[in-house]
Amino acid sequence: MTMIAPDPVAPDPKVDRALTRRRWLGRLRGGSTGRPVWRQPIAVVALTILGGWLLVAILAPLVAPYDPLAQSADTYAAPSAAHWFGTDSLGRDIFSRVVYGARLSIPLALAIVSLALLVGGLLGLVAGYLGRLADEALMRLTDLVFAFPQIILAMAVTAAFGPNTRNAVLALVIVSWPVYARVIRSAVLSMRGDDYLNAARLLGVGPVRALRRDVLPNSIGPAIVLATLELGNAVLLLAALSFLGLGPRPPAAEWGSMVALGSQDLSMWWVSVFPGLAILTVVMAFNVLGDALRDRLDPRYAKGR
Amino acid sequence: MSVSPRRLRTGALALATLAVISTTACTAGGSGGNANSGEAKTLTVNTSFVLKTLDPGRVYEATGLTAVHALYDTLLTFEGSDVGKPVPALAESYDASPDAKTFTFKLRSGVTFADGSPLTADDVVFSLNRLKNIKGSPAVTVSELSVSKTDDSTVVVTSATPNPNVPVVLAMPSTGVLNAEVARDNGAKDGADAAQGDTAQQYLDTNSIGSGPYVLKSYEPESQVVLEANPNYWGDKPQFERVVLRNMDVQTQKLTMQRAETAEISLDISGKLLDGLPESLQTSGVQDTVYFLFLNADPAVSAVTANPKFNQALRAAIDYQGIAALYGEGAAPGAGLVAPAFPGTLPASEASTRDVAKAKALLAEAGLTDPTVKFNYPAITYKGVDLGTVATKVQGDAAEAGITLELNPQPLTTFLDEMRSGKSPLGFTPQSLNYPVADSLINNMAPGQATALRSGWTVERADPAIVAAGEKVTETLDLAARATAMQEWQRLMNQSSPYIVLASNSSTVVATADLTGADYSAAGWQVDVAAVGLR
């Protein structure tokens, strides 16, 4: 008698896609009930502000009337037609510096959050999917980081590595990845044993492919919401570090260090108020946007539905 | 998830809002103001405490010096803001030998300590020997001196090397005279082994045993030090019954002084912080601090900074007037290493000036195109001025001449470590004198001396004329001639030394309008609280 080896079943892409339910994307578009995120007035305002800041950052050389580093004899000039936001102790134009500050703060915040999402996301996936020892070890590591107040740990790391932009970003990634690891891990845990995953496995889908095609798309939603919220936090933490002299080196036009410079002499209010307002608007916009996304994606926060 | 997004968001918003409103919110703060209530007159002195001890033999910090000067008398002293000529205190007169080695002090008669016991030559000898032998921080000023008495009212101080400034040293608060008997009873030693045996500091921190115009009432090094008038004081009684030294950060001092009406002094509001104070307040300041750049003269550390042409070019590139303006009121563009408060300073007319064209020409001559140097400075605020702002200004000035300076702000300890190791190519630091004599600059900053070597400035790398000019200062015993020699030394230093003096600024005493005698003194004690009175 001849043994007939069963044919290896090649995963059928159509089946694979059908089994995968990108639940979060559907909700983002409004699902079957509410309005999509981009129809909520408050979110539109936030998006507009952020879009405006992005434009300002990209077009900084066109928007800024002066070189942000150019010093002049016109020190501590109050806001006027020549200097919309006034000048600082070295006669630098604060409007130009705030504009160029967007080129630092926003890309750096994006870098911090994407790196943290990448590192935290990968570790969370691994922890959730593998379980057992890997899970235990990684979660205790996140506990370790959570045990410190974020800013204190970030300060310690930057101070130890030496204060500059790269180390400030690294420090902030180190303090912020665990949140994403936790979120992704819990999402992965919640879908372990789901039918479509079992189906995929029965069809011979390997773990890497399953993680990439099925698990990741379904768990990334909450992490994206969190990342949006965290963008504001990253802008703020970065500003806090440079306020303390641990961020980008002077004379870089960084909002936090500009606030610090102004805080030395409170009677010249414009030196710190304008960069402070820049921080405020960006942080608020990211938070409002993140909130709107979460209201949409997380049923626990859904209002009146 | 253990961190809720909502909480994160709230925290983030609160912080962002804080960043914006901090500038305005502070004007609503401030503390309780003055506790004067008519009868017992109290003088309040606000200062950011730098206070480790009130033991005269060990005191070295600003706040301690202010208090110790009021608690203990010295042989000589300075009046008001003048630190040029010591005046009699415990000694009613003194004689100096022509070789500037022997100084004979005649003690005033009838002086008693606060406890009523008489002050004799033995107390003076004990106190000065103790200062020298316990080897605390201030001992360096008396390490070459020895003391003896010829009778109960005559003390002879001899110096191992000629030193015309011994009278100035003997006006410093650390040379204050203690009641020897009480001191010994509480563990004080004055012998050669006193560094190990002396255990009196704890007692002296909380008790004063001097003959000064005030006695110590309470000592709380974190919050306040209270002095009360000495009922047995031998001289004119101070006008204020009580003096309270309060620990207060500088921004709060400014807010407090804006509301203060009577008998209140602040010691740390200086530089730009003086802007915006009410006109009714009086200020007194003396330029006693210089700020300078140091370039490393060792080609192994930096071939650029060791190049004499680069040194000259950087000197010419700097906008000294503009830097002085950053320091605010009471600052002046750099002239020489000796601050204007002290004998031997260069006149303001010799302040350095800017010449960008010359700087560029020098760089071209040296064949240096776009020289780049790391520029270290301590990330601190000193006397009301953020050193980072000044460093950024220097960077901007240098850039106009084609020199690139890479700013490298460092925590103070890191900065000092790197400076001491001699590895800083270019650095920036303030300098104040420990006592009002500029000789120590020669001892430290002349070629081959300790501080100079940190910038790689050996005798071989220096202009021989500078070495000779430095020796001339030390050899000159007449004080007026010495000051002139000091000026000559600075002029040569300004040509080729590793030091570029940027500016000098003053410490300032800010006082309410009703006070008299609230004069800043560069002698170390900042203000003589016993000399402060009401109009």
Side-chain angles (χ1 to χ4, degrees):
Chain A
M1 219 177 133
T2 330
M3 288 279 288
I4 300 174
D7 276 345
V9 182
D12 177 351
K14 275 182 194 156
V15 175
D16 203 15
R17 259 201 300 280
L19 288 172
T20 304
R21 282 163 185 63
R22 292 195 173 86
R23 287 173 280 198
W24 62 278
L25 252 184
R27 288 218 201 91
L28 198 61
R29 293 199 187 101
S32 54
T33 48
R35 289 169 298 171
V37 167
W38 45 86
R39 294 259 172 84
Q40 296 176 37
I42 184 95
V44 171
V45 172
L47 273 171
T48 315
I49 291 176
L50 288 174
W53 272 118
L54 260 166
L55 269 181
V56 164
I58 293 164
L59 304 176
L62 301 176
V63 179
Y66 298 89
D67 175 349
L69 303 183
Q71 303 174 7
S72 76
D74 194 10
T75 61
Y76 282 133
S80 65
H83 298 284
W84 293 354
F85 291 178
T87 62
D88 65 10
S89 55
L90 293 167
R92 295 175 295 194
D93 181 55
I94 292 172
F95 177 71
S96 305
R97 286 178 70 75
V98 168
V99 164
Y100 272 88
R103 284 196 153 187
L104 268 178
S105 294
I106 295 175
L108 287 180
L110 285 171
I112 291 163
V113 168
S114 346
L115 281 172
L117 182 59
L118 187 74
V119 174
L122 276 178
L123 292 176
L125 271 181
V126 171
Y129 195 77
L130 295 183
R132 303 194 186 193
L133 195 62
D135 187 29
E136 195 63 24
L138 283 167
M139 287 308 106
R140 294 299 77 77
L141 192 60
T142 62
D143 286 344
L144 201 69
V145 178
F146 278 136
F148 296 94
Q150 268 190 319
I151 184 72
I152 304 287
L153 187 58
M155 278 168 62
V157 173
T158 332
F161 291 168
N164 59 39
T165 311
R166 192 196 60 195
N167 291 341
V169 169
L170 271 182
L172 292 180
V173 171
I174 288 175
V175 302
S176 50
W177 69 266
V179 198
Y180 304 103
R182 287 281 180 94
V183 170
I184 299 263
R185 169 185 171 270
S186 63
V188 173
L189 282 184
S190 74
M191 66 182 80
R192 264 164 84 175
D194 274 8
D195 289 343
Y196 66 95
L197 282 182
N198 290 336
R201 193 162 58 240
L202 288 175
L203 288 173
V205 175
V208 174
R209 186 182 167 84
L211 277 177
R212 188 165 56 82
R213 295 296 308 262
D214 300 322
V215 179
L216 185 63
N218 279 308
S219 56
I220 195 76
I224 297 274
V225 175
L226 185 65
T228 318
L229 280 166
E230 281 282 297
L231 272 171
N233 203 24
V235 169
L236 200 62
L237 283 171
L238 191 70
L241 280 185
S242 58
F243 180 91
L244 297 167
L246 297 170
R249 296 244 172 117
E254 208 288 331
W255 293 338
S257 57
M258 292 168 73
V259 172
L261 187 66
S263 69
Q264 288 164 21
D265 193 336
L266 306 177
S267 53
M268 315 294 177
W269 56 270
W270 55 89
V271 181
S272 49
V273 161
F274 290 112
L277 280 174
I279 299 172
L280 181 73
T281 50
V282 170
V283 172
M284 278 194 68
F286 276 128
N287 277 302
V288 167
L289 189 66
D291 245 11
L293 282 176
R294 188 192 44 208
D295 284 350
R296 178 58 51 202
L297 298 180
D298 192 335
R300 275 178 301 173
Y301 290 99
K303 283 169 259 176
R305 260 176 271 137
Chain B
M1 201 175 89
S2 70
V3 179
S4 101
R6 198 172 288 277
R7 188 172 303 159
L8 272 176
R9 182 202 53 177
T10 318
L13 280 185
L15 271 169
T17 317
L18 194 69
V20 170
I21 63 170
S22 63
T23 49
T24 45
C26 284
T27 51
S31 67
N34 205 296
N36 256 9
S37 56
E39 293 178 12
K41 285 192 292 184
T42 301
L43 174 68
T44 309
V45 180
N46 305 312
T47 183
S48 179
F49 272 20
V50 194
L51 177 60
K52 283 186 185 159
T53 178
L54 294 182
D55 176 350
R58 295 183 167 91
V59 69
Y60 204 60
E61 301 77 23
T63 309
L65 292 172
T66 304
V68 167
H69 179 65
L71 299 173
Y72 296 88
D73 283 318
T74 44
L75 288 175
L76 302 172
T77 190
F78 291 108
E79 265 175 6
S81 290
D82 181 13
V83 292
K85 189 169 166 39
V87 297
L90 287 179
E92 58 183 13
S93 65
Y94 72 95
D95 284 315
S97 67
D99 65 357
K101 282 184 165 180
T102 310
F103 299 81
T104 310
F105 295 86
K106 185 84 188 145
L107 297 187
R108 197 180 293 273
S109 61
V111 175
T112 59
F113 287 107
D115 65 2
S117 55
L119 185 152
T120 68
D122 289 317
D123 297 302
V124 178
V125 172
F126 172 85
S127 303
L128 292 177
N129 279 334
R130 175 172 180 267
L131 167 66
K132 177 181 173 179
N133 290 327
I134 59 176
K135 297 189 172 70
S137 305
V140 53
T141 56
V142 296
S143 58
E144 289 205 326
L145 305 184
S146 51
V147 194
S148 61
K149 68 163 194 174
T150 46
D151 61 54
D152 266 355
S153 62
T154 311
V155 172
V156 178
V157 176
T158 50
S159 173
T161 56
N163 182 358
N165 286 308
V166 165
V168 175
V169 168
L170 294 176
M172 295 300 96
S174 55
T175 64
V177 176
L178 300 82
N179 184 329
E181 197 188 330
V182 181
R184 279 203 187 89
D185 288 348
N186 289 285
K189 300 275 191 294
D190 66 341
D193 59 347
Q196 281 76 45
D198 187 278
T199 55
Q201 183 181 345
Q202 201 177 0
Y203 176 77
L204 292 171
D205 280 348
T206 46
N207 300 272
S208 63
I209 51 171
S211 59
Y214 285 95
V215 293
L216 183 62
K217 177 76 176 166
S218 76
Y219 173 76
E220 295 160 52
E222 303 301 321
S223 56
Q224 65 173 15
V225 172
V226 180
L227 315 178
E228 270 191 355
N230 170 5
N232 294 322
Y233 186 52
W234 55 270
D236 295 335
K237 290 224 161 34
Q239 279 199 33
F240 285 99
E241 294 286 321
R242 265 160 56 95
V243 174
V244 179
L245 303 175
R246 283 200 296 189
N247 189 9
M248 190 181 278
D249 72 82
V250 62
Q251 292 284 1
T252 316
Q253 284 180 42
K254 185 168 177 180
L255 297 167
T256 305
M257 290 314 287
Q258 278 167 342
R259 301 144 143 237
E261 282 166 5
T262 178
E264 189 139 354
I265 288 178
S266 280
L267 299 181
D268 306 314
I269 308 172
S270 52
K272 278 287 179 195
L273 285 168
L274 289 165
D275 296 348
L277 280 179
E279 289 293 315
S280 58
L281 296 172
Q282 49 174 331
T283 60
S284 161
V286 176
Q287 289 166 18
D288 62 350
T289 306
V290 295
Y291 297 77
F292 61 85
L293 304 178
F294 52 95
L295 289 82
N296 209 303
D298 184 354
V301 173
S302 167
V304 176
T305 59
N307 187 327
K309 288 266 180 351
F310 176 83
N311 181 317
Q312 304 285 328
L314 188 57
R315 278 177 200 279
I318 290 165
D319 171 18
Y320 300 90
Q321 291 285 349
I323 287 177
L326 285 181
Y327 285 95
E329 241 175 274
L337 279 169
V338 179
F342 307 110
T345 186
L346 285 177
S349 58
E350 292 187 37
S352 310
T353 50
R354 186 177 203 203
D355 187 345
V356 179
K358 181 183 164 196
K360 285 181 176 163
L362 281 162
L363 289 177
E365 231 175 278
L368 289 166
T369 46
D370 190 25
T372 302
V373 179
K374 191 172 80 164
F375 182 18
N376 294 339
Y377 61 91
I380 56 168
T381 296
Y382 191 81
K383 294 197 175 174
V385 178
D386 168 42
L387 297 190
T389 307
V390 180
T392 311
K393 165 78 177 152
V394 171
Q395 184 200 38
D397 292 348
E400 283 181 42
I403 298 170
T404 305
L405 302 182
E406 289 172 352
L407 294 185
N408 185 33
Q410 298 174 311
L412 184 59
T413 48
T414 315
F415 171 80
L416 292 174
D417 284 347
E418 193 162 335
M419 183 172 83
R420 289 187 186 120
S421 73
K423 295 285 190 294
S424 268
L426 174 65
F428 169 45
T429 181
Q431 172 169 284
S432 307
L433 295 175
N434 295 334
Y435 63 107
V437 172
D439 301 11
S440 58
L441 293 179
I442 304 244
N443 301 335
N444 290 313
M445 299 171 85
Q449 302 295 334
T451 307
L453 288 177
R454 289 172 184 169
S455 293
W457 204 33
T458 57
V459 176
E460 296 75 43
R461 289 183 184 132
D463 178 354
I466 292 184
V467 181
E471 281 165 0
K472 171 123 191 279
V473 176
T474 323
E475 284 161 8
T476 310
L477 298 183
D478 174 65
L479 285 175
R482 199 176 172 104
T484 312
M486 195 74 190
Q487 292 182 326
E488 206 41 55
W489 179 71
Q490 290 173 87
R491 287 186 189 109
L492 291 169
M493 290 287 280
N494 280 349
Q495 284 167 24
S496 67
S497 78
Y499 307 109
I500 303 178
V501 181
L502 298 178
S504 58
N505 84 335
S506 55
S507 310
T508 313
V509 172
V510 177
T512 48
D514 60 337
L515 295 177
T516 59
D519 299 320
Y520 177 78
S521 172
W525 52 79
Q526 306 178 86
V527 64
D528 182 1
V529 291
V532 177
L534 280 169
R535 276 190 210 285

